Amino acid sequence: MPIGDLAPELSVLLTAVAVLLAAMALPQRLHGWCAVVAIAGLAVAAGFTVAQWDAARMTFSGTFALDRATGWARLLILAMTAGVAALSPAWFATDRRHGEYCAVLLFSALGALAMAGAADLMQLVMGVLLSSVPGYVLAAYHRDWEISLEAGMKYFLVGALANALLVTGVILVMGMAGSTDYAALILVGLLFKLGAVPAHAWMPDVAEGAPVPSAAFLTIVPKIAAAVALFRVVSLVPEETFPLRLLVAIAAAATMTLGNLAALWQTDLRRLLGWSSVSQSGYALMAVAVAGAAETALQALVAFVGVYALANLLAFAVIAHLRGRTALEDVAGLLRARPVAAIALTLALLSFVGIPPLPGFLGKFALFEATLDGGLSWLAMLAVANTVVSLFYYLRVIGPAALSKPKDAMGTLGRASFTVILVALLAMAVSVPVWGGLWNGLPATLLPM
């Protein structure tokens, strides 16, 4: 059990403890430094991840996989968590629990890291629970706001049921096989973390009611970890033994269709993004459904989840920058009032659709290609139809933002949120010309378990 193999996870753990202790000692006016410490700790963890980039082995008695898939998931989780942490100081400036928020954020990210590299059922359960429990706190952090409490309660109830089913499945596997190695799994637990049907109901409520940094985190980070973990599970189950890939394909079809149809007439931007996040989970499941059947399935999954995470962080950074104004009429005239924010929001939404030459197009193209190669042409055609449908509700946001006049002055959160917007825009711009190199560096296979 070489401790160094878990250096990124240990860095996040120690940083979370340091942030918690600092929040206890520092006065409220200095709690913003907790976010700085959190980002520094995440950078250290990213450095350890890069140092282990060429690792390809099972570690800790075969319970944790050190491979390229784990490496990419680690980097995405750490980067997105850092972006969310950067949004928190201004958003929680008047909250006496601001410092503790950063600690809870890091604990939830630690659970996602554990889930992404899990190669054993008990390790997976630990990761899911460690990611979920702090997530309930993040969702309901505005405890004086009824909508936030409702979001946290719904997230908790759906999570409690999904996690109970997951643990029940683990117990059954242990009883039948006498081992916790991957052999079969109840899908609901991981579908809950993805925000996919049938455990999707929490996603739009959390996107609407949680603090904006929490909403950004909970609609991105657990999805990254769950996508990789679910891919590991599906790739190990022989199709002739159990039609797990077919179940995932059906879940993908239901998730993307329900998410897009529910988003059509939403009047709140955050809730619209919540339902959009559900639909994006459906697209991600397309790659999982062809695990083992298409050579580029894993590459397509990591590429799509990466570009989705970047666009989603950008969209929520714009919402945070506008101080949480989320009614569609509130963003009318945004181009005239806040041109950079309007351009950023437009590019994020168009990337969700997959409009070229945005990175979202490259991610979706990879998904469709892998799905066709895997023999699921009906699922690819359904995804194309859903993509066309999604353009309608994104244009309901883009049109008024670009063509209408602002009703009143639009205040902003300050430099921190604007910086996150600029960094995310730069990352989107850079990702397109270097896509070929990124694609070649993505994992194509998993370690045998």
mmCIF file of all heavy atoms in Angstrom, residues 29-78:
data_model
loop_
_atom_site.group_PDB
_atom_site.id
_atom_site.type_symbol
_atom_site.label_atom_id
_atom_site.label_comp_id
_atom_site.label_asym_id
_atom_site.label_seq_id
_atom_site.Cartn_x
_atom_site.Cartn_y
_atom_site.Cartn_z
ATOM 1 N N ARG A 29 -13.698 38.555 8.048
ATOM 2 C CA ARG A 29 -13.215 39.388 6.941
ATOM 3 C C ARG A 29 -12.040 38.748 6.202
ATOM 4 O O ARG A 29 -11.725 39.133 5.061
ATOM 5 C CB ARG A 29 -12.815 40.769 7.468
ATOM 6 C CG ARG A 29 -11.566 40.790 8.323
ATOM 7 C CD ARG A 29 -11.202 42.192 8.792
ATOM 8 N NE ARG A 29 -9.917 42.227 9.469
ATOM 9 C CZ ARG A 29 -9.732 41.903 10.734
ATOM 10 N NH1 ARG A 29 -10.772 41.541 11.487
ATOM 11 N NH2 ARG A 29 -8.510 41.969 11.267
ATOM 12 N N LEU A 30 -11.405 37.764 6.826
ATOM 13 C CA LEU A 30 -10.259 37.096 6.207
ATOM 14 C C LEU A 30 -10.597 35.702 5.683
ATOM 15 O O LEU A 30 -9.695 34.979 5.251
ATOM 16 C CB LEU A 30 -9.099 36.997 7.216
ATOM 17 C CG LEU A 30 -8.524 38.322 7.717
ATOM 18 C CD1 LEU A 30 -7.403 38.067 8.719
ATOM 19 C CD2 LEU A 30 -8.008 39.163 6.552
ATOM 20 N N HIS A 31 -11.858 35.332 5.718
ATOM 21 C CA HIS A 31 -12.233 33.989 5.268
ATOM 22 C C HIS A 31 -11.996 33.781 3.778
ATOM 23 O O HIS A 31 -11.926 32.640 3.306
ATOM 24 C CB HIS A 31 -13.695 33.701 5.618
ATOM 25 C CG HIS A 31 -13.858 33.152 6.992
ATOM 26 N ND1 HIS A 31 -14.973 32.441 7.384
ATOM 27 C CD2 HIS A 31 -13.058 33.206 8.082
ATOM 28 C CE1 HIS A 31 -14.845 32.086 8.650
ATOM 29 N NE2 HIS A 31 -13.687 32.547 9.097
ATOM 30 N N GLY A 32 -11.893 34.871 3.026
ATOM 31 C CA GLY A 32 -11.591 34.722 1.605
ATOM 32 C C GLY A 32 -10.268 34.024 1.355
ATOM 33 O O GLY A 32 -10.075 33.383 0.317
ATOM 34 N N TRP A 33 -9.342 34.120 2.329
ATOM 35 C CA TRP A 33 -8.064 33.431 2.189
ATOM 36 C C TRP A 33 -8.216 31.916 2.236
ATOM 37 O O TRP A 33 -7.322 31.185 1.768
ATOM 38 C CB TRP A 33 -7.106 33.900 3.282
ATOM 39 C CG TRP A 33 -6.576 35.273 3.027
ATOM 40 C CD1 TRP A 33 -7.000 36.437 3.581
ATOM 41 C CD2 TRP A 33 -5.538 35.623 2.112
ATOM 42 N NE1 TRP A 33 -6.297 37.504 3.082
ATOM 43 C CE2 TRP A 33 -5.382 37.028 2.183
ATOM 44 C CE3 TRP A 33 -4.724 34.893 1.249
ATOM 45 C CZ2 TRP A 33 -4.447 37.705 1.408
ATOM 46 C CZ3 TRP A 33 -3.787 35.572 0.482
ATOM 47 C CH2 TRP A 33 -3.654 36.951 0.565
ATOM 48 N N CYS A 34 -9.329 31.434 2.776
ATOM 49 C CA CYS A 34 -9.568 29.982 2.770
ATOM 50 C C CYS A 34 -9.691 29.468 1.341
ATOM 51 O O CYS A 34 -9.225 28.364 1.029
ATOM 52 C CB CYS A 34 -10.826 29.656 3.573
ATOM 53 S SG CYS A 34 -10.680 29.963 5.343
ATOM 54 N N ALA A 35 -10.308 30.258 0.486
ATOM 55 C CA ALA A 35 -10.407 29.872 -0.924
ATOM 56 C C ALA A 35 -9.032 29.856 -1.579
ATOM 57 O O ALA A 35 -8.730 28.989 -2.407
ATOM 58 C CB ALA A 35 -11.342 30.828 -1.665
ATOM 59 N N VAL A 36 -8.185 30.809 -1.207
ATOM 60 C CA VAL A 36 -6.815 30.841 -1.748
ATOM 61 C C VAL A 36 -6.048 29.589 -1.328
ATOM 62 O O VAL A 36 -5.353 28.959 -2.147
ATOM 63 C CB VAL A 36 -6.088 32.114 -1.265
ATOM 64 C CG1 VAL A 36 -4.640 32.106 -1.747
ATOM 65 C CG2 VAL A 36 -6.807 33.364 -1.763
ATOM 66 N N VAL A 37 -6.176 29.215 -0.057
ATOM 67 C CA VAL A 37 -5.521 27.997 0.421
ATOM 68 C C VAL A 37 -6.060 26.768 -0.303
ATOM 69 O O VAL A 37 -5.303 25.860 -0.682
ATOM 70 C CB VAL A 37 -5.709 27.854 1.944
ATOM 71 C CG1 VAL A 37 -5.148 26.525 2.441
ATOM 72 C CG2 VAL A 37 -5.042 29.007 2.683
ATOM 73 N N ALA A 38 -7.379 26.739 -0.501
ATOM 74 C CA ALA A 38 -7.993 25.607 -1.200
ATOM 75 C C ALA A 38 -7.458 25.480 -2.621
ATOM 76 O O ALA A 38 -7.107 24.378 -3.072
ATOM 77 C CB ALA A 38 -9.515 25.769 -1.213
ATOM 78 N N ILE A 39 -7.381 26.595 -3.330
ATOM 79 C CA ILE A 39 -6.886 26.558 -4.713
ATOM 80 C C ILE A 39 -5.418 26.139 -4.741
ATOM 81 O O ILE A 39 -4.994 25.368 -5.617
ATOM 82 C CB ILE A 39 -7.085 27.933 -5.378
ATOM 83 C CG1 ILE A 39 -8.583 28.220 -5.533
ATOM 84 C CG2 ILE A 39 -6.396 27.984 -6.734
ATOM 85 C CD1 ILE A 39 -8.898 29.617 -6.009
ATOM 86 N N ALA A 40 -4.627 26.624 -3.781
ATOM 87 C CA ALA A 40 -3.228 26.224 -3.719
ATOM 88 C C ALA A 40 -3.086 24.722 -3.482
ATOM 89 O O ALA A 40 -2.254 24.043 -4.114
ATOM 90 C CB ALA A 40 -2.519 27.004 -2.610
ATOM 91 N N GLY A 41 -3.904 24.175 -2.575
ATOM 92 C CA GLY A 41 -3.871 22.736 -2.321
ATOM 93 C C GLY A 41 -4.285 21.930 -3.536
ATOM 94 O O GLY A 41 -3.709 20.866 -3.829
ATOM 95 N N LEU A 42 -5.281 22.428 -4.277
ATOM 96 C CA LEU A 42 -5.714 21.750 -5.498
ATOM 97 C C LEU A 42 -4.610 21.787 -6.560
ATOM 98 O O LEU A 42 -4.434 20.821 -7.310
ATOM 99 C CB LEU A 42 -6.985 22.415 -6.032
ATOM 100 C CG LEU A 42 -8.244 22.221 -5.176
ATOM 101 C CD1 LEU A 42 -9.349 23.170 -5.608
ATOM 102 C CD2 LEU A 42 -8.737 20.776 -5.240
ATOM 103 N N ALA A 43 -3.857 22.884 -6.614
ATOM 104 C CA ALA A 43 -2.743 22.972 -7.558
ATOM 105 C C ALA A 43 -1.650 21.960 -7.210
ATOM 106 O O ALA A 43 -1.064 21.331 -8.101
ATOM 107 C CB ALA A 43 -2.181 24.398 -7.555
ATOM 108 N N VAL A 44 -1.388 21.804 -5.923
ATOM 109 C CA VAL A 44 -0.403 20.800 -5.493
ATOM 110 C C VAL A 44 -0.871 19.400 -5.891
ATOM 111 O O VAL A 44 -0.088 18.579 -6.396
ATOM 112 C CB VAL A 44 -0.172 20.892 -3.975
ATOM 113 C CG1 VAL A 44 0.680 19.719 -3.483
ATOM 114 C CG2 VAL A 44 0.494 22.218 -3.614
ATOM 115 N N ALA A 45 -2.154 19.122 -5.664
ATOM 116 C CA ALA A 45 -2.703 17.817 -6.049
ATOM 117 C C ALA A 45 -2.587 17.595 -7.554
ATOM 118 O O ALA A 45 -2.286 16.482 -8.008
ATOM 119 C CB ALA A 45 -4.162 17.721 -5.605
ATOM 120 N N ALA A 46 -2.808 18.655 -8.339
ATOM 121 C CA ALA A 46 -2.670 18.540 -9.794
ATOM 122 C C ALA A 46 -1.216 18.236 -10.163
ATOM 123 O O ALA A 46 -0.951 17.451 -11.089
ATOM 124 C CB ALA A 46 -3.137 19.822 -10.464
ATOM 125 N N GLY A 47 -0.273 18.847 -9.443
ATOM 126 C CA GLY A 47 1.131 18.551 -9.695
ATOM 127 C C GLY A 47 1.465 17.096 -9.431
ATOM 128 O O GLY A 47 2.190 16.458 -10.220
ATOM 129 N N PHE A 48 0.960 16.539 -8.347
ATOM 130 C CA PHE A 48 1.173 15.118 -8.060
ATOM 131 C C PHE A 48 0.519 14.242 -9.136
ATOM 132 O O PHE A 48 1.058 13.186 -9.496
ATOM 133 C CB PHE A 48 0.609 14.765 -6.687
ATOM 134 C CG PHE A 48 1.473 15.199 -5.532
ATOM 135 C CD1 PHE A 48 0.963 15.975 -4.514
ATOM 136 C CD2 PHE A 48 2.804 14.817 -5.465
ATOM 137 C CE1 PHE A 48 1.757 16.379 -3.446
ATOM 138 C CE2 PHE A 48 3.613 15.203 -4.402
ATOM 139 C CZ PHE A 48 3.087 15.993 -3.394
ATOM 140 N N THR A 49 -0.633 14.668 -9.629
ATOM 141 C CA THR A 49 -1.300 13.907 -10.685
ATOM 142 C C THR A 49 -0.457 13.847 -11.945
ATOM 143 O O THR A 49 -0.303 12.783 -12.562
ATOM 144 C CB THR A 49 -2.669 14.545 -11.002
ATOM 145 O OG1 THR A 49 -3.495 14.512 -9.835
ATOM 146 C CG2 THR A 49 -3.365 13.805 -12.127
ATOM 147 N N VAL A 50 0.093 14.981 -12.332
ATOM 148 C CA VAL A 50 0.954 15.016 -13.520
ATOM 149 C C VAL A 50 2.196 14.147 -13.311
ATOM 150 O O VAL A 50 2.658 13.458 -14.235
ATOM 151 C CB VAL A 50 1.347 16.468 -13.842
ATOM 152 C CG1 VAL A 50 2.376 16.517 -14.975
ATOM 153 C CG2 VAL A 50 0.111 17.280 -14.218
ATOM 154 N N ALA A 51 2.728 14.144 -12.092
ATOM 155 C CA ALA A 51 3.912 13.323 -11.797
ATOM 156 C C ALA A 51 3.623 11.836 -11.942
ATOM 157 O O ALA A 51 4.534 11.050 -12.219
ATOM 158 C CB ALA A 51 4.415 13.630 -10.386
ATOM 159 N N GLN A 52 2.358 11.433 -11.766
ATOM 160 C CA GLN A 52 1.980 10.021 -11.889
ATOM 161 C C GLN A 52 1.356 9.708 -13.248
ATOM 162 O O GLN A 52 0.701 8.677 -13.406
ATOM 163 C CB GLN A 52 0.982 9.662 -10.781
ATOM 164 C CG GLN A 52 1.531 9.778 -9.373
ATOM 165 C CD GLN A 52 0.493 9.480 -8.320
ATOM 166 O OE1 GLN A 52 -0.706 9.379 -8.602
ATOM 167 N NE2 GLN A 52 0.927 9.332 -7.080
ATOM 168 N N TRP A 53 1.563 10.585 -14.208
ATOM 169 C CA TRP A 53 0.828 10.495 -15.469
ATOM 170 C C TRP A 53 1.047 9.179 -16.213
ATOM 171 O O TRP A 53 0.130 8.658 -16.848
ATOM 172 C CB TRP A 53 1.202 11.673 -16.364
ATOM 173 C CG TRP A 53 0.221 11.918 -17.456
ATOM 174 C CD1 TRP A 53 0.380 11.741 -18.797
ATOM 175 C CD2 TRP A 53 -1.125 12.391 -17.289
ATOM 176 N NE1 TRP A 53 -0.765 12.073 -19.471
ATOM 177 C CE2 TRP A 53 -1.700 12.477 -18.570
ATOM 178 C CE3 TRP A 53 -1.900 12.744 -16.178
ATOM 179 C CZ2 TRP A 53 -3.009 12.902 -18.778
ATOM 180 C CZ3 TRP A 53 -3.195 13.168 -16.378
ATOM 181 C CH2 TRP A 53 -3.740 13.244 -17.663
ATOM 182 N N ASP A 54 2.251 8.655 -16.170
ATOM 183 C CA ASP A 54 2.555 7.435 -16.920
ATOM 184 C C ASP A 54 2.322 6.161 -16.109
ATOM 185 O O ASP A 54 2.650 5.061 -16.573
ATOM 186 C CB ASP A 54 4.012 7.477 -17.397
ATOM 187 C CG ASP A 54 4.247 8.565 -18.434
ATOM 188 O OD1 ASP A 54 3.321 8.838 -19.210
ATOM 189 O OD2 ASP A 54 5.353 9.145 -18.454
ATOM 190 N N ALA A 55 1.765 6.295 -14.915
ATOM 191 C CA ALA A 55 1.503 5.117 -14.088
ATOM 192 C C ALA A 55 0.428 4.247 -14.728
ATOM 193 O O ALA A 55 -0.540 4.749 -15.304
ATOM 194 C CB ALA A 55 1.076 5.537 -12.689
ATOM 195 N N ALA A 56 0.595 2.955 -14.624
ATOM 196 C CA ALA A 56 -0.389 2.010 -15.157
ATOM 197 C C ALA A 56 -0.360 0.759 -14.296
ATOM 198 O O ALA A 56 0.229 -0.258 -14.663
ATOM 199 C CB ALA A 56 -0.085 1.676 -16.616
ATOM 200 N N ARG A 57 -1.002 0.848 -13.147
ATOM 201 C CA ARG A 57 -0.974 -0.275 -12.214
ATOM 202 C C ARG A 57 -2.165 -0.190 -11.255
ATOM 203 O O ARG A 57 -2.747 0.868 -11.060
ATOM 204 C CB ARG A 57 0.334 -0.279 -11.411
ATOM 205 C CG ARG A 57 0.540 0.954 -10.545
ATOM 206 C CD ARG A 57 1.873 0.909 -9.819
ATOM 207 N NE ARG A 57 2.092 2.080 -8.962
ATOM 208 C CZ ARG A 57 2.604 3.214 -9.378
ATOM 209 N NH1 ARG A 57 2.953 3.350 -10.652
ATOM 210 N NH2 ARG A 57 2.775 4.226 -8.540
ATOM 211 N N MET A 58 -2.463 -1.338 -10.679
ATOM 212 C CA MET A 58 -3.433 -1.381 -9.593
ATOM 213 C C MET A 58 -2.679 -1.204 -8.284
ATOM 214 O O MET A 58 -1.565 -1.709 -8.126
ATOM 215 C CB MET A 58 -4.166 -2.720 -9.590
ATOM 216 C CG MET A 58 -4.858 -3.052 -10.906
ATOM 217 S SD MET A 58 -6.186 -1.916 -11.310
ATOM 218 C CE MET A 58 -7.366 -2.366 -10.041
ATOM 219 N N THR A 59 -3.262 -0.483 -7.357
ATOM 220 C CA THR A 59 -2.578 -0.218 -6.103
ATOM 221 C C THR A 59 -3.530 -0.425 -4.933
ATOM 222 O O THR A 59 -4.744 -0.602 -5.133
ATOM 223 C CB THR A 59 -2.004 1.217 -6.091
ATOM 224 O OG1 THR A 59 -1.193 1.404 -4.934
ATOM 225 C CG2 THR A 59 -3.115 2.248 -6.097
ATOM 226 N N PHE A 60 -3.010 -0.404 -3.738
ATOM 227 C CA PHE A 60 -3.765 -0.644 -2.514
ATOM 228 C C PHE A 60 -4.567 -1.948 -2.615
ATOM 229 O O PHE A 60 -5.790 -1.969 -2.532
ATOM 230 C CB PHE A 60 -4.677 0.542 -2.189
ATOM 231 C CG PHE A 60 -3.960 1.634 -1.434
ATOM 232 C CD1 PHE A 60 -3.084 2.484 -2.088
ATOM 233 C CD2 PHE A 60 -4.124 1.782 -0.070
ATOM 234 C CE1 PHE A 60 -2.388 3.458 -1.407
ATOM 235 C CE2 PHE A 60 -3.437 2.754 0.628
ATOM 236 C CZ PHE A 60 -2.563 3.603 -0.037
ATOM 237 N N SER A 61 -3.812 -3.010 -2.831
ATOM 238 C CA SER A 61 -4.384 -4.371 -2.914
ATOM 239 C C SER A 61 -5.448 -4.483 -3.992
ATOM 240 O O SER A 61 -6.439 -5.195 -3.848
ATOM 241 C CB SER A 61 -4.959 -4.790 -1.556
ATOM 242 O OG SER A 61 -3.975 -4.756 -0.551
ATOM 243 N N GLY A 62 -5.241 -3.770 -5.090
ATOM 244 C CA GLY A 62 -6.142 -3.874 -6.229
ATOM 245 C C GLY A 62 -7.440 -3.109 -6.093
ATOM 246 O O GLY A 62 -8.366 -3.330 -6.880
ATOM 247 N N THR A 63 -7.533 -2.185 -5.143
ATOM 248 C CA THR A 63 -8.787 -1.439 -4.948
ATOM 249 C C THR A 63 -8.785 -0.092 -5.662
ATOM 250 O O THR A 63 -9.833 0.546 -5.755
ATOM 251 C CB THR A 63 -9.047 -1.197 -3.456
ATOM 252 O OG1 THR A 63 -7.986 -0.395 -2.910
ATOM 253 C CG2 THR A 63 -9.142 -2.513 -2.704
ATOM 254 N N PHE A 64 -7.630 0.353 -6.165
ATOM 255 C CA PHE A 64 -7.550 1.662 -6.802
ATOM 256 C C PHE A 64 -6.740 1.538 -8.082
ATOM 257 O O PHE A 64 -5.666 0.920 -8.094
ATOM 258 C CB PHE A 64 -6.888 2.676 -5.867
ATOM 259 C CG PHE A 64 -7.111 4.113 -6.266
ATOM 260 C CD1 PHE A 64 -8.245 4.786 -5.868
ATOM 261 C CD2 PHE A 64 -6.181 4.781 -7.038
ATOM 262 C CE1 PHE A 64 -8.451 6.107 -6.237
ATOM 263 C CE2 PHE A 64 -6.370 6.093 -7.413
ATOM 264 C CZ PHE A 64 -7.513 6.771 -7.004
ATOM 265 N N ALA A 65 -7.259 2.095 -9.162
ATOM 266 C CA ALA A 65 -6.611 1.996 -10.467
ATOM 267 C C ALA A 65 -5.842 3.274 -10.763
ATOM 268 O O ALA A 65 -6.410 4.366 -10.790
ATOM 269 C CB ALA A 65 -7.652 1.755 -11.560
ATOM 270 N N LEU A 66 -4.547 3.126 -10.978
ATOM 271 C CA LEU A 66 -3.709 4.241 -11.410
ATOM 272 C C LEU A 66 -3.468 4.084 -12.904
ATOM 273 O O LEU A 66 -2.580 3.340 -13.335
ATOM 274 C CB LEU A 66 -2.378 4.242 -10.656
ATOM 275 C CG LEU A 66 -2.300 4.994 -9.331
ATOM 276 C CD1 LEU A 66 -0.887 4.925 -8.773
ATOM 277 C CD2 LEU A 66 -2.732 6.440 -9.485
ATOM 278 N N ASP A 67 -4.287 4.735 -13.715
ATOM 279 C CA ASP A 67 -4.130 4.671 -15.154
ATOM 280 C C ASP A 67 -4.442 6.039 -15.744
ATOM 281 O O ASP A 67 -4.711 7.002 -15.023
ATOM 282 C CB ASP A 67 -5.019 3.575 -15.761
ATOM 283 C CG ASP A 67 -6.499 3.742 -15.409
ATOM 284 O OD1 ASP A 67 -6.874 4.796 -14.854
ATOM 285 O OD2 ASP A 67 -7.278 2.821 -15.680
ATOM 286 N N ARG A 68 -4.422 6.137 -17.065
ATOM 287 C CA ARG A 68 -4.627 7.418 -17.716
ATOM 288 C C ARG A 68 -6.060 7.933 -17.506
ATOM 289 O O ARG A 68 -6.277 9.145 -17.415
ATOM 290 C CB ARG A 68 -4.318 7.290 -19.209
ATOM 291 C CG ARG A 68 -4.188 8.608 -19.953
ATOM 292 C CD ARG A 68 -3.044 9.449 -19.473
ATOM 293 N NE ARG A 68 -1.757 8.838 -19.684
ATOM 294 C CZ ARG A 68 -1.049 8.951 -20.811
ATOM 295 N NH1 ARG A 68 -1.519 9.639 -21.825
ATOM 296 N NH2 ARG A 68 0.147 8.391 -20.898
ATOM 297 N N ALA A 69 -7.025 7.029 -17.410
ATOM 298 C CA ALA A 69 -8.401 7.456 -17.166
ATOM 299 C C ALA A 69 -8.522 8.133 -15.796
ATOM 300 O O ALA A 69 -9.165 9.183 -15.655
ATOM 301 C CB ALA A 69 -9.356 6.266 -17.252
ATOM 302 N N THR A 70 -7.900 7.530 -14.788
ATOM 303 C CA THR A 70 -7.897 8.143 -13.459
ATOM 304 C C THR A 70 -7.179 9.485 -13.492
ATOM 305 O O THR A 70 -7.628 10.457 -12.865
ATOM 306 C CB THR A 70 -7.219 7.213 -12.443
ATOM 307 O OG1 THR A 70 -7.934 5.974 -12.381
ATOM 308 C CG2 THR A 70 -7.194 7.836 -11.055
ATOM 309 N N GLY A 71 -6.077 9.563 -14.227
ATOM 310 C CA GLY A 71 -5.328 10.811 -14.316
ATOM 311 C C GLY A 71 -6.139 11.946 -14.911
ATOM 312 O O GLY A 71 -6.158 13.067 -14.374
ATOM 313 N N TRP A 72 -6.829 11.673 -16.028
ATOM 314 C CA TRP A 72 -7.649 12.706 -16.643
ATOM 315 C C TRP A 72 -8.812 13.108 -15.738
ATOM 316 O O TRP A 72 -9.143 14.290 -15.627
ATOM 317 C CB TRP A 72 -8.179 12.228 -17.997
ATOM 318 C CG TRP A 72 -7.213 12.448 -19.113
ATOM 319 C CD1 TRP A 72 -6.401 11.523 -19.710
ATOM 320 C CD2 TRP A 72 -6.937 13.689 -19.765
ATOM 321 N NE1 TRP A 72 -5.645 12.099 -20.687
ATOM 322 C CE2 TRP A 72 -5.955 13.434 -20.749
ATOM 323 C CE3 TRP A 72 -7.430 14.983 -19.628
ATOM 324 C CZ2 TRP A 72 -5.457 14.431 -21.588
ATOM 325 C CZ3 TRP A 72 -6.933 15.986 -20.462
ATOM 326 C CH2 TRP A 72 -5.961 15.702 -21.430
ATOM 327 N N ALA A 73 -9.436 12.119 -15.106
ATOM 328 C CA ALA A 73 -10.541 12.435 -14.196
ATOM 329 C C ALA A 73 -10.051 13.294 -13.033
ATOM 330 O O ALA A 73 -10.716 14.257 -12.625
ATOM 331 C CB ALA A 73 -11.177 11.146 -13.679
ATOM 332 N N ARG A 74 -8.890 12.944 -12.493
ATOM 333 C CA ARG A 74 -8.321 13.746 -11.412
ATOM 334 C C ARG A 74 -8.124 15.201 -11.840
ATOM 335 O O ARG A 74 -8.521 16.137 -11.138
ATOM 336 C CB ARG A 74 -6.974 13.163 -10.985
ATOM 337 C CG ARG A 74 -7.031 11.966 -10.048
ATOM 338 C CD ARG A 74 -5.639 11.382 -9.898
ATOM 339 N NE ARG A 74 -5.492 10.494 -8.738
ATOM 340 C CZ ARG A 74 -4.394 9.818 -8.460
ATOM 341 N NH1 ARG A 74 -3.334 9.919 -9.271
ATOM 342 N NH2 ARG A 74 -4.330 9.056 -7.385
ATOM 343 N N LEU A 75 -7.501 15.392 -13.008
ATOM 344 C CA LEU A 75 -7.228 16.755 -13.458
ATOM 345 C C LEU A 75 -8.510 17.546 -13.663
ATOM 346 O O LEU A 75 -8.602 18.727 -13.286
ATOM 347 C CB LEU A 75 -6.416 16.728 -14.755
ATOM 348 C CG LEU A 75 -4.925 16.446 -14.638
ATOM 349 C CD1 LEU A 75 -4.258 16.567 -16.000
ATOM 350 C CD2 LEU A 75 -4.259 17.405 -13.660
ATOM 351 N N LEU A 76 -9.516 16.928 -14.271
ATOM 352 C CA LEU A 76 -10.789 17.617 -14.498
ATOM 353 C C LEU A 76 -11.454 17.979 -13.179
ATOM 354 O O LEU A 76 -11.952 19.100 -13.002
ATOM 355 C CB LEU A 76 -11.716 16.746 -15.343
ATOM 356 C CG LEU A 76 -11.365 16.615 -16.833
ATOM 357 C CD1 LEU A 76 -12.277 15.586 -17.497
ATOM 358 C CD2 LEU A 76 -11.479 17.955 -17.529
ATOM 359 N N ILE A 77 -11.470 17.045 -12.245
ATOM 360 C CA ILE A 77 -12.106 17.298 -10.944
ATOM 361 C C ILE A 77 -11.389 18.421 -10.205
ATOM 362 O O ILE A 77 -12.021 19.339 -9.659
ATOM 363 C CB ILE A 77 -12.125 16.005 -10.104
ATOM 364 C CG1 ILE A 77 -13.098 14.990 -10.708
ATOM 365 C CG2 ILE A 77 -12.506 16.307 -8.654
ATOM 366 C CD1 ILE A 77 -12.970 13.603 -10.119
ATOM 367 N N LEU A 78 -10.065 18.383 -10.204
ATOM 368 C CA LEU A 78 -9.287 19.403 -9.500
ATOM 369 C C LEU A 78 -9.461 20.770 -10.140
ATOM 370 O O LEU A 78 -9.619 21.783 -9.447
ATOM 371 C CB LEU A 78 -7.808 19.010 -9.486
ATOM 372 C CG LEU A 78 -7.460 17.744 -8.689
ATOM 373 C CD1 LEU A 78 -6.013 17.330 -8.945
ATOM 374 C CD2 LEU A 78 -7.696 17.948 -7.203
#
